[in-house]
Amino acid sequence: MHIPLIEQSYAALPELLYTRVEPQSVAAPKLVIANDALAAELGIDRDWLHSADALQLLAGNVAPSHGSVIAMAYAGHQFGGFNARLGDGRALLLGDVLLNDGTRRELHLKGSGRTIYSRGGDGRATLSAMLREYILSEAMAALQVPTTRSLAVVETGERVFRQRPEHGAVLTRVAKSHVRVGTFQFLAARGETKAIEALMAHEIARTMPEVSGAREFLAEVLSRQARLIAQWMSFGFIHGVMNTDNAQIAGETIDYGPCAFMDGFDPQKVFSSIDENGRYAYDKQPTIGLWNMTRLAECLLPLLDENREAAIKIAEQELGRFMPLFEMEFEKRMLAKLGINELSHAQFITETLQHMANAWADFTRFFTALTRGDDMRSFFISDLAHDEWRAEWNILRAPEATALMQKYNPVYIARNHRVEAALTAAENQNYLPLHQLLDAVQNPFTARADLVQFENAPDAQEEVLQTFCGT
Ligand code: AMP
Ligand code: MG
């Protein structure tokens, strides 16, 4: 059996960026789900992943052989308010696995116990929240959107108290890096310019080796972020908590809390129960992405130019590219979803989305119905609205529209009501709905007769109106 070699490269960074932690044993670890496909990509042996040794490691009961398990320090703007001291309050970094292509991935345990960054929290996570992250992140990966992944969920055999007692669990999260905008803010708030330079060099070497210098670094981070948000939005995804500590530098979707894929299209849609002012609503995401990138640029000012005025000019120039980059990627994807080749028809996207919003059309079904050549009348507020739209679409659609649309329009998304049903069943030891749902969302572009129930929007009783941070 091949045991994965794990290294702790983050520990080479300045010590204020992390704290060593002792693994805290949990009572009765049990493997709930393991991601064999991801393990294969990581070069991790399937037999090892399902072994008793792996279970101890993935439950946080033992440290890897290098012995230095750490919790990362970071800061962050949470709903706009700055907190200079956050950090892994219930997570720890096991270290890197080395892939055959020379790149590295971090293994991170979420729900692994208290650390010095826990503040009032219990350091634990619930089974339902960790399975939710598993489903949503694997759905995202299958849509080809950059994301952290989920390697395994282990039940702890301990109770976690939220609104009610729940099963505790630990998720093994896999990421290119866990460095966030908030990690840079942590250093900037302490005037640690040298450490910012070291952190930037670390991120560049790991996740963007083609980049050199602070300006290119800022440019690369913000273009990844702009493209990422455009990709989310082209699938009706709402992240829900786009705080700067949840904005990952390498451009992967991270921190699946109260996030969701939308059913009926409402551009102002908010799911998160704690987002009372709609700061992170669907259509605010690009603006918030730019706001987060502006916070990163502020941290990098001392590295952009010795002269502050000159540094600000450079930052402004780079930040000015964010919205055009977002729009270009969003338009490209939305036009492909509509089977249109020419970027010059962006106005038609706006019109289509307006029709969809008027009729509260199901975001995903609208595009799959169009791809299949179904009658589209039910997605419009009136036959007249439909006929006018349809006439325009007939003119704009490309001859090869269907092939193009099939690539961009998933049949299956991780619909909230299906996610909730799978989680409720799993809490009662019935894992079948979870595996069926994963089967659908892990192959989202291929319709299958046995999975037809996962295509449908919820009916009035099934609809989930909010997702909770009760994590
Ligand atoms: P999140 O909302 O998950 O992005 O977390 C924001 C901050 O709160 C991070 O520093 C987390 O580590 C911390 N945190 C969240 N839940 C817990 C918990 N149950 N125990 C300790 N810290 C937590
Ligand atoms: Mg977070």
Side-chain angles (χ1 to χ4, degrees):
M1 186 158 52
H2 169 71
I3 295 165
L5 182 66
I6 302 176
E7 283 180 15
Q8 192 60 280
S9 61
Y10 203 73
L13 282 164
E15 279 180 18
L16 81 164
L17 277 170
Y18 60 88
T19 311
R20 291 183 201 279
V21 294
E22 290 299 319
Q24 295 160 37
S25 284
V26 298
K30 187 183 126 208
L31 186 67
V32 175
I33 189 165
N35 194 335
D36 293 340
L38 177 59
E41 280 178 45
L42 298 173
I44 292 177
D45 192 80
R46 186 189 177 281
D47 290 340
W48 176 81
L49 185 61
H50 292 262
S51 72
D53 282 353
L55 183 62
Q56 292 302 316
L57 187 73
L58 303 181
N61 280 3
V62 297
S65 54
H66 61 67
S68 105
V69 174
I70 62 182
M72 295 163 81
Y74 50 87
H77 276 93
Q78 301 184 301
F79 292 90
F82 186 63
N83 190 332
R85 194 169 181 279
L86 296 168
D88 291 333
R90 53 157 168 180
L92 54 83
L93 186 59
L94 287 178
D96 292 343
V97 286
L98 277 60
L99 273 57
N100 284 335
D101 66 1
T103 62
R104 292 162 175 264
R105 297 291 182 282
E106 283 177 354
L107 297 188
H108 204 246
L109 300 185
K110 187 168 177 178
S112 50
R114 285 181 55 80
T115 72
I116 65 159
Y117 309 112
S118 297
R119 297 172 293 158
D122 61 3
R124 292 294 173 191
T126 65
L127 175 66
S128 63
M130 295 306 96
L131 287 177
R132 190 165 205 285
E133 171 150 350
Y134 189 107
I135 300 166
L136 273 287
S137 61
E138 289 311 298
M140 195 65 94
L143 293 169
Q144 313 278 314
V145 180
T147 178
T148 63
R149 303 285 303 268
S150 298
L151 181 63
V153 174
V154 170
E155 245 187 273
T156 59
E158 293 174 6
R159 280 178 180 258
V160 172
F161 293 89
R162 294 295 180 259
Q163 275 97 337
R164 56 191 168 89
E166 292 199 46
H167 300 284
V170 178
L171 170 83
T172 307
R173 179 162 65 183
V174 179
K176 286 183 176 167
S177 161
H178 283 80
V179 173
R180 310 129 193 271
V181 171
T183 321
F184 282 88
Q185 290 181 294
F186 178 85
L187 296 174
R190 288 158 180 79
E192 295 277 354
T193 307
K194 276 253 153 341
I196 294 178
E197 224 170 335
L199 183 64
M200 183 179 83
H202 171 90
E203 272 301 280
I204 289 175
R206 264 193 97 85
T207 69
M208 45 190 82
E210 66 287 359
V211 161
S212 80
R215 181 172 191 156
E216 271 186 36
F217 176 65
L218 175 62
E220 181 63 20
V221 177
L222 72 80
S223 59
R224 288 186 189 192
Q225 203 62 219
R227 279 196 305 257
L228 177 67
I229 294 168
Q231 293 182 53
W232 290 349
M233 290 175 67
S234 77
F235 296 117
F237 181 75
I238 304 171
H239 182 282
V241 201
M242 288 176 69
N243 294 335
T244 54
D245 52 305
N246 295 339
Q248 188 226 45
I249 296 293
E252 295 175 325
T253 310
I254 193 168
D255 231 321
Y256 290 83
C259 58
F261 289 91
M262 231 188 302
D263 298 303
F265 181 58
D266 169 6
Q268 272 117 48
K269 181 79 185 165
V270 177
F271 278 102
S272 169
S273 61
I274 54 172
D275 190 2
E276 284 156 12
N277 300 316
R279 179 178 167 92
Y280 300 139
Y282 174 81
D283 66 352
K284 296 260 185 67
Q285 296 183 113
T287 312
I288 288 293
L290 174 58
W291 193 89
N292 289 345
M293 291 301 100
T294 308
R295 305 287 80 75
L296 175 66
E298 286 166 358
C299 300
L300 297 174
L301 283 179
L303 306 185
L304 288 171
D305 199 292
E306 286 167 15
N307 177 296
R308 198 176 154 82
E309 297 301 307
I312 290 173
K313 269 234 157 61
I314 293 170
E316 282 173 353
Q317 278 169 8
E318 292 303 332
L319 291 165
R321 295 173 48 248
F322 184 94
M323 279 301 174
L325 277 169
F326 163 77
E327 271 153 26
M328 210 164 74
E329 184 71 24
F330 185 67
E331 282 166 16
K332 185 189 102 185
R333 288 178 168 267
M334 294 308 292
L335 287 174
K337 289 172 81 73
L338 289 161
I340 299 171
N341 260 333
E342 291 224 19
L343 275 177
S344 56
H345 299 306
Q347 179 57 30
F348 188 64
I349 301 170
T350 315
E351 287 170 28
T352 304
L353 290 174
Q354 189 57 56
H355 281 299
M356 290 170 69
N358 291 346
W360 214 50
D362 185 85
F363 191 87
T364 300
R365 285 214 73 126
F366 180 96
F367 292 104
T368 43
L370 192 66
T371 308
R372 288 170 177 168
D374 293 351
D375 188 299
M376 297 296 290
R377 258 165 255 272
S378 66
F379 295 101
F380 287 80
I381 202 151
S382 66
D383 285 356
L384 181 66
H386 167 266
D387 295 348
E388 279 177 12
W389 177 87
R390 180 92 200 183
E392 207 178 335
W393 184 67
N394 281 338
I395 295 167
L396 296 179
R397 61 185 288 196
E400 69 282 13
T402 307
L404 186 61
M405 292 160 81
Q406 276 166 347
K407 266 179 61 187
Y408 286 85
N409 295 329
V411 180
Y412 306 112
I413 52 161
R415 290 186 187 272
N416 254 319
H417 66 299
R418 289 292 173 187
V419 174
E420 294 304 317
L423 299 181
T424 306
E427 285 183 323
N428 296 307
Q429 260 97 99
N430 171 12
Y431 303 110
L432 186 64
L434 171 69
H435 287 288
Q436 283 179 329
L437 175 60
L438 280 170
D439 208 7
V441 299
Q442 287 177 329
N443 297 290
F445 296 101
T446 312
R448 271 171 48 184
D450 58 328
L451 296 174
V452 73
Q453 72 272 27
F454 294 106
E455 290 185 28
N456 296 333
D459 62 31
Q461 279 124 53
E462 290 172 321
E463 199 184 339
V464 178
L465 298 173
Q466 279 191 332
T467 54
F468 291 88
C469 228
T471 53

